[in-house]
Amino acid sequence: MAKIKPSKGAPYARVMGVGGYRPSRVVPNEVILEKIDSSDEWIRSRSGIATRHWASPEETVTVMSVEAAGKALANAGIDPEQVGGVIVSTVSHFKQTPAVATEIADRLTPSKPAAFDISAGCAGFGYGLTLAKGMVVEGSAEYVLVIGVERLSDLTDLEDRATAFLFGDGAGAVVVGPSREPAIGPTVWGSEGDKSETIKQTVPWTDYRDGTVERFPAITQEGQAVFRWAVFEMAKVAQQALDAAGITAADLDVFIPHQANMRIIDSMVKTLKLPEHVTVARDVETTGNTSAASIPLAMERLLATGQAKSGDTALVIGFGAGLAYAATVVTLP
């Protein structure tokens, strides 16, 4: 029996650079209120959101991704030709095939990297990060781009009082590469499919195609059920990620949760009993919920503004439709 030659990858992997892209149009709550019976005070008190970015027709999923990825590569000091993999997490690319990752890869690099999309909603960045880490350690790629990108304005029902104010557009990207020491901890991830109806697309695309419904599909959710699940269950997952990394909350420098809702973020901070010295990402206030893009966008802003610095230890956790989730501890680039 022939013996298969073992893979020769890096001993560990790390995040080497981060980049983000926010569309130029800033949309305040006043614009949202044109179609729903609510108020700026109600939106802020329920979600913490004051503004969000909406993409123009020219700011496609591909364009935003290429911009974010280019910045991540530059920040990492990595030549595009060194990229061996491109992983894109999105739910708002409306061509079933080919994967938008292949188009993004073609625009970024001549290296013909492995390129594929994943659909894990707001947990997508964590899923992509875990897959990229595996590729680097296994040796199938030396450097991998992980991109979270959404145009959720295309999937927002502006007449739905419960969700019209939540969603924004944007792209965030990181470069994952080799490391001589652990810099991406074990991932605690999973899903609770029995609760999948709490966050979902209103109807299948085929219902719209066949004329069964007149309204274009949108994202809907059961707000209170999602809130309870995120606060209580995801705090447990976050603690499990700390335990898996062999650290405590006191060892953290930064907490970067999915930017779903300010009340969820604040409640998780309290449940986890994070010390005051821990910097908490609250990018949702001006960016809204950008699903798979929210964690890398928040990470990029913390580093760019000096609220976090290279080498800081950060806990990241994404959670959403599925209900899927993923949490890990990383060293910031």
Side-chain angles (χ1 to χ4, degrees), residues 39-94:
S39 68
D40 178 64
E41 189 278 331
W42 188 92
I43 293 174
R44 289 175 186 255
S45 66
R46 294 301 189 282
S47 68
I49 298 172
T51 61
R52 74 284 293 148
H53 296 256
W54 283 354
S56 68
E58 293 75 26
E59 291 170 312
T60 63
V61 164
T62 299
V63 166
M64 293 191 292
S65 296
V66 170
E67 289 290 331
K71 293 176 183 177
L73 288 167
N75 289 334
I78 300 302
D79 190 290
E81 293 189 9
Q82 297 175 275
V83 174
V86 177
I87 302 171
V88 177
S89 178
T90 186
V91 298
S92 47
H93 172 59
F94 296 134

Side-chain angles (χ1 to χ4, degrees), residues 47-224:
S47 68
I49 298 172
T51 61
R52 74 284 293 148
H53 296 256
W54 283 354
S56 68
E58 293 75 26
E59 291 170 312
T60 63
V61 164
T62 299
V63 166
M64 293 191 292
S65 296
V66 170
E67 289 290 331
K71 293 176 183 177
L73 288 167
N75 289 334
I78 300 302
D79 190 290
E81 293 189 9
Q82 297 175 275
V83 174
V86 177
I87 302 171
V88 177
S89 178
T90 186
V91 298
S92 47
H93 172 59
F94 296 134
K95 287 184 180 179
Q96 194 70 37
T97 192
V100 72
T102 58
E103 180 182 352
I104 293 166
D106 182 61
R107 294 197 186 192
L108 282 170
T109 173
S111 62
K112 300 180 180 179
F116 56 95
D117 297 351
I118 57 176
S119 177
C122 306
F125 176 75
Y127 276 54
L129 187 64
T130 303
L131 294 172
K133 172 187 173 183
M135 292 167 71
V136 171
V137 173
E138 185 270 340
S140 59
E142 186 174 14
Y143 300 102
V144 180
L145 272 166
V146 180
I147 302 168
V149 58
E150 301 292 2
R151 276 183 53 118
L152 293 182
S153 57
D154 292 333
L155 285 169
T156 299
D157 181 353
L158 293 177
E159 296 179 2
D160 179 1
R161 189 173 183 271
T163 61
F165 57 88
L166 287 176
F167 303 119
D169 303 337
V174 298
V175 178
V176 176
S179 175
R180 294 182 179 179
E181 59 186 28
I184 302 175
T187 300
V188 177
W189 57 354
S191 64
E192 297 186 29
D194 60 316
K195 300 180 181 67
S196 61
E197 290 294 303
T198 57
I199 306 175
K200 64 179 183 179
Q201 184 173 306
T202 49
V203 295
W205 302 114
T206 48
D207 283 7
Y208 183 73
R209 179 200 65 186
D210 298 339
T212 306
V213 296
E214 295 183 357
R215 296 178 71 87
F216 192 75
I219 297 173
T220 185
Q221 68 175 34
E222 298 174 14
Q224 287 302 314

Side-chain angles (χ1 to χ4, degrees), residues 239 241-243 245-255 272-279 309 311-315 329-331:
Q239 183 60 55
L242 290 175
D243 296 341
I247 66 172
T248 68
D251 299 315
L252 280 178
D253 300 302
V254 184
F255 179 45
L272 287 167
K273 298 179 181 179
L274 295 185
E276 289 188 7
H277 75 262
V278 176
T279 298
K309 62 183 184 300
D312 279 353
T313 300
L315 169 62
V329 174
V330 303
T331 301

